[in-house]
Amino acid sequence: MGNWIQDMFGTDKALIGLCHFLALPGDPLYDEDGGMEKVYEAARTDVLALQEGGIDGIHFSNEFSMPYMLHAKLETVAAMAELIGELKRDVRVPFGCNVISDPKAGVALCAVTGAGFIRGTFTGAYATNMGICNSEGGECARLRHYLGRDDLKFIYYVKPESSGDLGGRDAVESMKAAYFLDKPDALCVAGPVAGKKSDAQLMARVREAFPDSVIFANTGVNPNTIEELFTYANAAFVGTYLKKDGVFENAVDPERVKRLMDQANQLRK
């Protein structure tokens, strides 16, 4: 599979900052008075803050489309496409995106926006907070090919957040077949929920089982955890820590971005 992190981000230990979209049209929390202009301005502020702090890449997600759905509504995908299309004018780093819990919609979104990578559940069947998630990895791969985006990097969750394998299978053992057959571009290890540290023990097992794989840490990356996580991971998604006061609902704080990037730069010298 090769380590494409260096080629895409210009470093072998990349930090990808999350740009969490506010609630979108059709979502229960959508601010109809503020409208899409409010969503766009908040996202643009976060994009500029991430880049001001020196982030390596950006990942767009409909984080505030709560409660989440296993199959996204058309208006959600359309709103995200409009937002990313507008935000691209300010984006100066590689970017990716996903539609939460609907990887097929995410592939389509990546294809039309020019995103370089997507994270999602592309293998397995899980009991989740939203119900039963039955992955459609084969359809996602075919959609990627059909849309002419074979270059789009698929980042496979080893075990999705807040979920359990329906068959009770061990996460690493069940990934072995998918790793051999699907040839994922990267594997992603998360903690239980956003902001909680990625499972370092599981990440160590993933590194041992798939020594040549590209591994992402998905949650809980901060100045206290980054050194340990980078012993196993090639890259990491960072969201909550980069927000003002480390609060999930707040806007991105460029000073916190810079603080984490300064530490990352020391570790990757």
Side-chain angles (χ1 to χ4, degrees), residues 21-265:
F21 291 145
L22 298 180
L24 303 169
D27 294 335
L29 300 179
Y30 179 60
D31 183 348
E32 294 190 11
D33 292 332
M36 281 286 284
E37 187 64 27
K38 178 180 178 180
V39 180
Y40 167 72
E41 290 298 338
R44 183 173 186 268
T45 297
D46 282 354
V47 165
L48 296 178
L50 288 166
Q51 293 180 154
E52 179 184 338
I55 204 72
D56 298 312
I58 294 175
H59 187 80
F60 298 105
S61 177
N62 58 322
E63 209 74 16
F64 291 99
S65 291
M66 303 165 182
Y68 302 134
M69 303 181 67
L70 289 174
H71 300 287
K73 295 293 186 181
L74 294 177
E75 58 268 26
T76 300
V77 185
M80 294 182 72
E82 179 185 0
L83 288 166
I84 296 171
E86 291 293 318
L87 291 166
K88 280 174 65 175
R89 294 180 295 184
D90 292 303
V91 174
R92 303 189 304 271
V93 295
F95 73 92
C97 57
N98 74 291
V99 182
I100 290 179
S101 299
D102 193 338
K104 193 156 60 172
V107 171
L109 181 65
C110 287
V112 301
T113 59
F117 52 94
I118 179 175
R119 61 180 182 178
T121 304
F122 296 108
T123 183
Y126 299 88
T128 77
N129 293 343
M130 294 84 70
I132 295 175
C133 169
N134 186 16
S135 64
E136 298 179 299
E139 290 197 31
C140 290
R142 284 163 176 78
L143 180 60
R144 173 177 61 176
H145 180 69
Y146 173 74
L147 294 175
R149 286 300 315 275
D150 288 332
D151 61 317
L152 176 64
K153 303 299 185 184
F154 275 18
I155 303 169
Y156 278 47
Y157 284 127
V158 173
K159 177 181 178 294
E161 296 173 31
S162 307
S163 68
D165 184 279
L166 285 179
R169 299 174 302 169
D170 175 78
V172 175
E173 289 302 314
S174 63
M175 180 56 70
K176 287 181 179 179
Y179 190 82
F180 175 74
L181 296 171
D182 298 6
K183 296 179 172 50
D185 297 297
L187 304 176
C188 192
V189 179
V193 293
K196 299 300 181 182
K197 180 185 172 185
S198 296
D199 188 336
Q201 184 177 5
L202 175 58
M203 197 175 299
R205 291 183 59 217
V206 171
R207 175 55 71 201
E208 181 179 6
F210 312 105
D212 298 325
S213 65
V214 172
I215 297 177
F216 278 72
N218 192 58
T219 58
V221 180
N222 61 54
N224 296 322
T225 63
I226 186 173
E227 184 171 6
E228 179 186 14
L229 295 176
F230 266 178
T231 61
Y232 309 112
N234 307 94
F237 292 106
V238 195
T240 302
Y241 172 77
L242 302 180
K243 306 290 188 77
K244 181 176 171 54
D245 300 324
V247 176
F248 175 72
E249 293 80 5
N250 288 348
V252 172
D253 180 350
E255 289 303 316
R256 291 177 78 93
V257 181
K258 186 176 186 303
R259 193 178 310 151
L260 186 62
M261 293 308 301
D262 285 345
Q263 185 164 354
N265 288 331

Side-chain angles (χ1 to χ4, degrees), residues 2-16 56 207 213-217 226 229-236 261 264-269:
N3 187 345
W4 50 270
I5 299 299
Q6 177 70 47
D7 294 336
M8 182 174 290
F9 300 104
T11 177
D12 59 357
K13 297 287 184 180
L15 286 177
I16 317 303
D56 298 312
R207 175 55 71 201
S213 65
V214 172
I215 297 177
F216 278 72
I226 186 173
L229 295 176
F230 266 178
T231 61
Y232 309 112
N234 307 94
M261 293 308 301
N265 288 331
Q266 289 295 319
L267 293 172
R268 59 194 186 187
K269 277 186 176 178

